[in-house]
């Protein structure tokens, strides 16, 4: 199985920025990732073409599983 953490941020210029991290820690919850996301926002840690993140739109773990047919 291939798990990925997807986080969608709103940028200061109105655009969005998507960050995808492979193999996230098991058992992530809103309580465990919220302080990290807030630190990224407060520290303006991510920039995209001069725009910084201002809020988080969504965060979720996607779990993909391949099923062999042959």
């Amino acid at each position: 199985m291939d798990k990925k953490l997807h986080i969608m941020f709103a940028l200061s210029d109105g655009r969005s920025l998507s960050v995808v991290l492979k193999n996230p820690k098991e058992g992530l919850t809103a309580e465990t990732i919220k302080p990290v996301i807030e630190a990224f926002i407060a520290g303006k840690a991510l920039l995209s073409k001069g725009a910084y993140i201002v809020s988080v739109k969504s965060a979720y773990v996607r779990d993909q599983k391949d099923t062999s047919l042959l």
Side-chain angles (χ1 to χ4, degrees):
M1 283 191 255
D2 187 21
K3 290 186 180 185
K4 295 178 183 174
L5 172 61
H6 294 253
I7 305 171
M8 179 70 71
F9 293 102
L11 295 172
S12 58
D13 64 358
R15 293 180 301 120
S16 297
L17 175 67
S18 178
V19 176
V20 180
L21 303 169
K22 291 182 179 182
N23 303 314
K25 179 181 174 180
E26 283 293 323
L28 287 179
T29 64
E31 292 78 27
T32 58
I33 67 167
K34 190 174 180 179
V36 176
I37 291 173
E38 288 173 350
F40 268 75
I41 294 168
K44 298 181 182 176
L46 296 175
L47 291 174
S48 176
K49 298 179 183 177
Y52 53 90
I53 56 176
V54 294
S55 65
V56 64
K57 291 182 167 186
S58 65
Y60 58 91
V61 174
R62 176 168 285 155
D63 189 357
Q64 294 178 308
K65 177 183 171 185
D66 292 337
T67 302
S68 179
L69 299 176
L70 297 175

